[in-house]
Amino acid sequence: MCSPLSAFTEAREQFLRLDKEEMARRSGAVYIPEQDCLQIYYLGHVYAVSGRGQVVMVDDPQREVPYNDRTLILQYLVQSSGLPPRGRWLSFLELPDGAHHYVPLQTDAMQPLARAFTGRAAQLAVAARALGGQPLAMGDTAFAFAALPKIPLAIVFWDGDEEFPARSNILYDAVAPTHLTTAALWVLGVELAAKLIAFLGEENASCSVDWLGGAADTGRHGAGK
């Protein structure tokens, strides 16, 4: 796997070489010529990407954008195929080489999400709607998210009881592998789970995603506080 530094650096170098209007056309971002920047929707917020590859949140430009978020945004801009969503959900195992990252996705996203929202389906619904989630008829509770303009993701949640623990799943639109690598889609699923968990507050930090060996900082994940 690429180091954190090299993944962002590589994406930024590719971004600097590509035509901004063409990236906007393929990705669904909006190019603003007079500002030489792209604006793109990502997990509940609009971000601006300058011509030099700097990423800021439009509503809070002074706030540092976490490494994973800015890397995913740049990777999507440079890799997007331009194809629209297909309206068909895939499990992570159905993605190309999905088996290689399936256990980490369970450990870093699905299991923390299930633990955090056990007995809290109503709070999951509040968190999901704050990130632009739309209800789906799956599981006990499910929501679809426009994670990036052309990559819908879904969270499906089954609450626990005396016999079975809570569980969750993350689904991807079938078009997703044409826009990002499977490794990047793993990170995207992790970030969606982390941002949902962050809405529960600091007291739930133990349930947050531990990404790359470091405790998740819920404040950096945009907890909507």
Side-chain angles (χ1 to χ4, degrees):
M1 180 184 296
C2 294
S3 71
L5 179 61
S6 66
F8 175 77
T9 300
E10 180 180 4
R12 183 173 178 270
E13 289 176 351
Q14 292 175 3
F15 176 85
L16 294 176
R17 292 195 297 266
L18 296 176
D19 181 80
K20 307 300 184 293
E21 292 188 59
E22 174 63 15
M23 279 190 284
R25 185 191 66 78
R26 288 187 290 101
S27 67
V30 175
Y31 179 59
I32 305 175
E34 58 271 21
Q35 299 176 19
D36 188 30
C37 80
L38 292 158
Q39 288 194 353
I40 185 168
Y41 181 89
Y42 165 73
L43 286 177
H45 296 281
V46 177
Y47 292 79
V49 184
S50 74
R52 297 176 59 84
Q54 297 171 315
V55 183
V56 300
M57 187 185 294
V58 171
D59 290 341
D60 192 358
Q62 301 306 312
R63 183 178 187 177
E64 181 182 0
V65 177
Y67 171 84
N68 289 342
D69 295 333
R70 52 192 163 93
T71 301
L72 283 168
I73 289 170
L74 286 182
Q75 287 179 332
Y76 174 75
L77 287 171
V78 302
Q79 296 174 18
S80 179
S81 66
L83 295 174
R86 294 174 179 166
R88 180 166 61 90
W89 295 114
L90 300 180
S91 73
F92 193 83
L93 282 172
E94 295 176 279
L95 300 179
D97 296 320
H100 293 170
H101 295 289
Y102 183 65
V103 172
L105 183 68
Q106 288 181 306
T107 301
D108 295 335
M110 297 179 191
Q111 292 170 2
L113 192 71
R115 288 195 301 268
F117 288 102
T118 296
R120 294 170 162 175
Q123 288 169 280
L124 175 58
V126 172
R129 290 190 179 97
L131 293 181
Q134 297 295 317
L136 290 174
M138 291 191 285
D140 291 334
T141 303
F143 288 88
F145 302 84
L148 285 156
K150 297 185 179 183
I151 305 184
L153 262 62
I155 293 286
V156 185
F157 176 75
W158 295 265
D159 210 347
D161 55 28
E162 297 82 0
E163 189 173 358
F164 297 104
R167 59 191 178 94
S168 70
N169 197 7
I170 299 176
L171 304 177
Y172 297 77
D173 187 272
V175 81
T178 74
H179 297 295
L180 284 173
T181 65
T182 299
L185 292 171
W186 161 36
V187 181
L188 186 61
V190 168
E191 286 301 323
L192 173 56
K195 287 169 171 55
L196 290 168
I197 292 169
F199 274 84
L200 294 176
E202 293 294 337
E203 69 274 15
N204 293 279
S206 62
C207 296
S208 297
V209 171
D210 182 4
W211 176 243
L212 291 179
D217 180 349
T218 54
R220 292 176 60 205
H221 285 289
K225 299 288 185 181

